[in-house]
Amino acid sequence: MIDVYLLSGFLGSGKTSLLVNLVDQVKESGRQPAVLMNEFGELNIDSQIVEDAGEVPLKELLNGCICCTGAESTEAQLQGLLADYPEIDVLFIETTGAAHPVEALDAVYSPLFAEKLDVKGIVTVVDAKRWIDRDKLSPRIQALFLEQVRHAHFMVLNKTDLLTDNQLAFVTMQVTQFNSYAPLVQTMNAKVDFSYVEKMVNVAAPKQSVTTGSGLPLVSKVLSFDAPINQEHFEDWVRTLPDSVYRMKGYIQLEGSRYSHLFQYAYGMVNWIPEYMQIPSKLVIIGEQLTDIEYSPKN
């Protein structure tokens, strides 16, 4: 399996600097890194920075956010990386500064290759200076900024050299109170030891149900189905799920149907899209506290 790290953080926080640093360290360790970069515009200037750092498999997702309009393109680009570079050991996905971490993870967790990717977690770069000035942001943007911090599995408090000692102590206290679970490291130019990142976010996943980040703010789980599913019974089960289930998507073979259906669930809404091929039935669930969530087919 390929270890996957999703790099999150607000615009200008230092995600690309972190990315280049981590890529260099992975290469020095003898492993093969790869990168998927997301940018709103038609040109991703940051990708040239990564390419200049050395030969690294790289795919770009332009003209859309990984968390919404670019979700389908994300799946296609990831499939391309996996097919073209089977030697990949570590994959870094840099999101746009406007990406919501939950929706970004949703785009990454494709049932087509869920069992090939071991998503270690979200590494969020927190701009220490902007944290102090966050009240100047619009309410909507400020909420996004805080959500990126809240859902982090590991936090890089960057640009600490721009703060006084008292300011740095105050910001560190506030950020760790806002997300008390994720480890935090203070940095300048987003320089952090990758081995430390690995150690702090690496959680062993049970082989029978592929999960990541057990006990962390955001987790995932993959359910597999060996036989066709009764649609009515399945939707009844969906309605019993707790609010801690944020997203579900997968390909499911329904009783009485020749081909698979793409199933999607978000904010309590269910959507079925018929496919014209048979795809192994797998369902990816994203949320919190998913350990006890299982589906029992209708007898």
Side-chain angles (χ1 to χ4, degrees):
M1 296 182 68
I2 299 172
D3 293 344
V4 181
Y5 295 86
L6 193 146
L7 306 186
S8 177
F10 202 67
L11 297 163
S13 60
K15 292 191 303 297
T16 302
S17 296
L18 174 66
L19 174 63
V20 172
N21 289 332
L22 296 182
V23 165
D24 286 343
Q25 292 181 57
V26 171
K27 288 169 57 180
E28 290 172 2
S29 71
R31 289 173 288 177
Q32 176 63 64
V35 174
L36 174 64
M37 301 189 74
N38 182 204
E39 182 56 66
F40 273 124
E42 296 181 359
L43 180 64
N44 191 350
I45 301 299
D46 290 340
S47 65
Q48 185 62 48
I49 299 174
V50 176
E51 290 176 344
D52 290 344
E55 293 185 1
V56 177
L58 182 146
K59 294 284 186 180
E60 296 173 296
L61 177 62
L62 305 178
N63 275 329
C65 180
I66 189 174
C67 63
C68 47
T69 56
E72 292 185 1
S73 297
T74 302
E75 186 175 274
Q77 295 287 44
L78 284 174
Q79 281 186 297
L81 269 175
L82 297 176
D84 297 341
Y85 304 98
E87 71 278 10
I88 294 173
D89 299 306
V90 182
L91 173 62
F92 295 107
I93 300 175
E94 181 187 344
T95 65
T96 74
H100 189 289
V102 176
E103 296 175 350
L105 268 185
D106 181 48
V108 174
Y109 280 118
S110 168
L112 293 178
F113 42 73
E115 292 180 336
K116 295 181 181 179
L117 304 181
D118 185 3
V119 181
K120 296 299 185 180
I122 301 170
V123 179
T124 296
V125 184
V126 186
D127 187 327
K129 182 66 174 176
R130 190 179 291 275
W131 179 272
I132 291 179
D133 300 330
R134 66 187 185 281
D135 291 341
K136 297 179 182 179
L137 301 171
S138 68
R140 183 178 179 182
I141 297 301
Q142 185 178 161
L144 172 63
F145 180 43
L146 295 177
E147 284 291 280
Q148 291 172 340
V149 175
R150 187 171 78 88
H151 288 288
H153 299 130
F154 184 92
M155 295 186 291
V156 177
L157 185 61
N158 196 34
K159 303 183 182 180
T160 57
D161 53 317
L162 301 181
L163 305 184
T164 66
D165 290 343
N166 288 337
Q167 286 177 323
L168 179 57
F170 180 70
V171 170
T172 301
M173 180 188 69
Q174 282 196 327
V175 172
T176 52
Q177 287 179 341
F178 194 76
N179 182 339
S180 60
Y181 189 92
L184 178 146
V185 61
Q186 300 173 352
T187 65
M188 293 182 288
N189 299 318
K191 292 184 178 180
V192 60
D193 191 335
F194 179 59
S195 63
Y196 182 68
V197 177
E198 281 187 299
K199 178 181 178 181
M200 301 309 293
V201 303
N202 183 30
V203 179
K207 294 182 180 179
Q208 297 303 318
S209 58
V210 181
T211 62
T212 57
S214 177
L216 294 174
L218 202 63
V219 297
S220 69
K221 186 170 188 175
V222 177
L223 300 182
S224 299
F225 309 102
D226 298 326
I229 297 299
N230 180 278
Q231 182 174 352
E232 182 178 354
H233 182 267
F234 184 80
E235 291 185 2
D236 286 342
W237 171 75
V238 170
R239 283 189 282 270
T240 68
L241 295 175
D243 293 338
S244 58
V245 174
Y246 301 146
R247 301 281 194 277
M248 291 193 294
K249 66 178 179 180
Y251 293 95
I252 298 177
Q253 179 81 41
L254 296 174
E255 292 180 352
S257 178
R258 181 179 178 184
Y259 299 115
S260 302
H261 279 67
L262 172 63
F263 171 79
Q264 299 183 78
Y265 168 91
Y267 303 108
M269 301 296 292
V270 168
N271 186 33
W272 295 93
I273 302 176
E275 299 288 337
Y276 297 97
M277 63 182 70
Q278 288 186 338
I279 304 172
S281 294
K282 295 182 185 296
L283 179 69
V284 179
I285 307 173
I286 301 175
E288 300 179 42
Q289 302 174 356
L290 306 180
T291 305
D292 297 330
I293 293 181
E294 296 290 347
Y295 175 72
S296 298
K298 182 179 180 181
N299 295 327

